[in-house]
Amino acid sequence: MDNSILTYCSISIAVLSLFFTLFGNFWCFYVTSTLTASVGATGEALGSADVYFGIWSRQHYMYSVQSTTDGTYIYAIPGCVGWGFGGYPIPYDTKWNSAKAFTILATIIGGIAMILCCGTIGDGSGKKLWPFITGSFFVACFFQCLTFLFLRSNFCSIPPTSIDSQLSLSASGCALGAGAAMGIVAACLWGVNGMLAAYITKSPPSEESLPEAPTSASADVKA
């Protein structure tokens, strides 16, 4: 197959990989947990709800109260806020901080590899970039896999609890959410693109990138 076609395929996969990496790593719908509210003094359960959390942010609800002739209604508007917003009783541990670092590294290295991949279009000398691009795709895949250290962090290993004199909140651990699923897809795509880039690296250059042989007429003039 022509290397130019494979190059466009690699660029397309890299764009998809970066998309899933960004949304998967930085979205607050990374994992889901069931929060249970209970009375602090008696422990009587008041109710439970499924909420979402991310490596960098968490789901947060803003409430709007509207009074009508039929009564008073409370509307919950979901959104994403940083973990520092409003405080949260879970300290960052080494695995959580490592997962945050790997989200950044996977995004930066994958993005650089995608840009370099675009730079090989129509450039015969771009063949020299493919070994570096191949390694970058595999490194992005590796770092993306390491972002799942978050699932072994304080947040998922120790059920978060916030207790005051009146209310107790506890969580049931972590289950994979849409963000984690997108992270899995991103890791697979980076790996597949690394294998495709390795194939392009070892394949012979296409005829368009080969230098033109001198014609007989030009050879006679030089003679």
Side-chain angles (χ1 to χ4, degrees):
M1 183 180 291
D2 192 351
N3 280 356
S4 61
I5 297 177
L6 296 177
T7 299
Y8 284 112
C9 291
S10 182
I11 293 173
S12 300
I13 297 175
V15 171
L16 286 175
S17 303
L18 191 60
F19 172 83
F20 284 114
T21 298
L22 286 170
F23 277 89
N25 290 344
F26 299 99
W27 199 19
C28 67
F29 289 83
Y30 192 82
V31 295
T32 181
S33 182
T34 301
L35 286 183
T36 302
S38 58
V39 179
T42 64
E44 179 185 357
L46 299 177
S48 61
D50 292 333
V51 294
Y52 290 89
F53 302 90
I55 299 175
W56 288 90
S57 59
R58 61 184 174 86
Q59 189 180 34
H60 176 74
Y61 285 93
M62 294 187 298
Y63 298 94
S64 174
V65 180
Q66 296 184 3
S67 298
T68 65
T69 56
D70 298 330
T72 301
Y73 299 91
I74 301 177
Y75 297 93
I77 305 172
C80 293
V81 297
W83 277 102
F85 181 82
Y88 209 78
I90 309 176
Y92 293 112
D93 65 347
T94 303
K95 293 179 180 179
W96 195 340
N97 285 326
S98 298
K100 294 173 69 175
F102 289 131
T103 60
I104 297 175
L105 290 173
T107 303
I108 293 176
I109 294 176
I112 292 175
M114 183 193 70
I115 294 173
L116 292 178
C117 195
C118 294
T120 62
I121 298 177
D123 185 6
S125 62
K127 183 76 174 176
K128 300 177 181 178
L129 293 175
W130 279 108
F132 178 78
I133 295 173
T134 300
S136 298
F137 282 149
F138 282 123
V139 171
C141 173
F142 178 67
F143 284 155
Q144 181 60 37
C145 291
L146 290 179
T147 61
F148 293 102
L149 285 172
F150 178 69
L151 300 177
R152 292 290 185 178
S153 66
N154 278 352
F155 179 80
C156 293
S157 299
I158 304 175
T161 303
S162 175
I163 302 175
D164 57 24
S165 59
Q166 297 180 347
L167 185 65
S168 172
L169 293 177
S170 60
S172 61
C174 295
L176 297 183
M182 295 177 76
I184 295 174
V185 173
C188 294
L189 288 176
W190 287 127
V192 169
N193 214 7
M195 291 185 286
L196 178 59
Y199 176 81
I200 296 175
T201 302
K202 295 182 179 180
S203 62
S206 58
E207 295 181 358
E208 295 179 357
S209 62
L210 293 175
E212 295 183 0
T215 60
S216 59
S218 61
D220 294 339
V221 172
K222 292 181 180 179

